[in-house]
Amino acid sequence: MSILQHAELRDIDSPHLKVVLNWRNQDHIRSVMYHDHKITIEEHKKWFEKVKKDKKTRVKIFYLQNVPLGVVNITKIDDNNSTCYWGFYIGEKNAPKGSGTIMGYLALKYIFEELKIRKLCAEVIGSNETSIRYHQKLGFNVEGILKKQILKNSQYEDIVLMSIFQTDWEKQKEILKQLIEGMRI
């Protein structure tokens, strides 16, 4: 049986708020975000209310074997140009190896096949080499670098601009699917 049959993305809802806030406030996640302060429950609730009303944003919770493991945040959905941005993280430290690849596959499938996006963009902090490699594994290419763009830990960091087009997804999805089918989780 395919592991993908046991994986899904669900819309974020009120019952997810506590676990998502807990994930987001973990040091290993905050350290690779643009905004790395600890989020209060009040800030989190305001964010959630804004997300519910924002037609240009979709937030999905990644489940594997009915266990919530991570978040996919799709933003700046531009219907005129068929583009959007994404952010994501696996929140559970003990998530099975390969969970990120499965989550990425499902997110790209949703973005390109359901939302009908032409181009997905990503911004990655330059020192986050793990995320850069992850994006490349999924089929993203580097489009440019914003030099010394954001202040993190008292020094300015580069932002790596990456993207994947729907046509690239069509080439990459079978490769990723085969990789996932070979996983033991």
Side-chain angles (χ1 to χ4, degrees):
M1 185 181 300
S2 169
I3 191 68
L4 289 172
Q5 292 176 316
H6 298 284
E8 66 180 320
L9 297 177
R10 298 181 192 168
D11 291 334
I12 192 170
D13 208 349
S14 298
H16 296 119
L17 288 182
K18 187 175 179 181
V19 71
V20 171
L21 179 61
N22 179 51
W23 290 340
R24 178 58 182 86
N25 278 332
Q26 293 178 70
D27 289 338
H28 74 281
I29 292 174
R30 285 187 308 112
S31 67
V32 294
M33 298 289 193
Y34 275 23
H35 307 287
D36 56 9
H37 72 283
K38 284 220 176 192
I39 299 168
T40 66
I41 189 67
E42 293 79 20
E43 288 174 298
H44 194 56
K45 286 178 180 176
K46 278 185 189 175
W47 167 81
F48 179 63
E49 290 305 314
K50 184 179 169 190
V51 162
K52 287 194 309 187
K53 296 174 189 166
D54 187 351
K55 303 267 188 253
K56 297 186 180 306
T57 298
R58 306 280 189 289
V59 179
K60 300 286 189 178
I61 305 300
F62 168 63
Y63 279 78
L64 183 61
Q65 297 170 328
N66 271 331
V67 177
L69 297 178
V71 174
V72 178
N73 192 18
I74 304 160
T75 61
K76 300 179 186 174
I77 298 170
D78 179 340
D79 293 324
N80 289 333
N81 294 301
S82 298
T83 60
C84 68
Y85 286 76
W86 82 337
F88 53 84
Y89 51 85
I90 292 291
E92 290 298 323
K93 281 189 172 184
N94 297 324
K97 186 171 173 46
S99 296
T101 302
I102 297 167
M103 181 177 71
Y105 173 86
L106 292 176
L108 293 175
K109 187 172 175 54
Y110 172 75
I111 289 164
F112 290 119
E113 297 177 16
E114 291 185 45
L115 295 181
K116 305 293 186 198
I117 293 297
R118 176 187 62 85
K119 179 183 181 183
L120 172 61
C121 303
E123 296 180 0
V124 182
I125 295 173
S127 60
N128 190 350
E129 294 174 15
T130 301
S131 185
I132 292 168
R133 284 192 307 273
Y134 172 79
H135 278 86
Q136 290 169 330
K137 176 181 179 178
L138 293 177
F140 282 74
N141 292 300
V142 174
E143 287 198 348
I145 298 174
L146 300 173
K147 296 287 188 180
K148 298 182 180 181
Q149 184 71 8
I150 64 165
L151 186 63
K152 298 267 306 165
N153 302 318
S154 302
Q155 64 183 19
Y156 286 96
E157 291 254 12
D158 295 347
I159 297 298
V160 179
L161 305 175
M162 305 184 81
S163 71
I164 182 172
F165 287 89
Q166 190 274 334
T167 52
D168 298 324
W169 163 246
E170 289 303 320
K171 296 173 192 168
Q172 191 69 8
K173 74 177 171 182
E174 197 54 42
I175 295 167
L176 289 171
K177 189 174 181 182
Q178 288 177 10
L179 177 68
I180 291 165
E181 296 299 335
M183 292 179 181
R184 293 183 185 265
I185 293 184

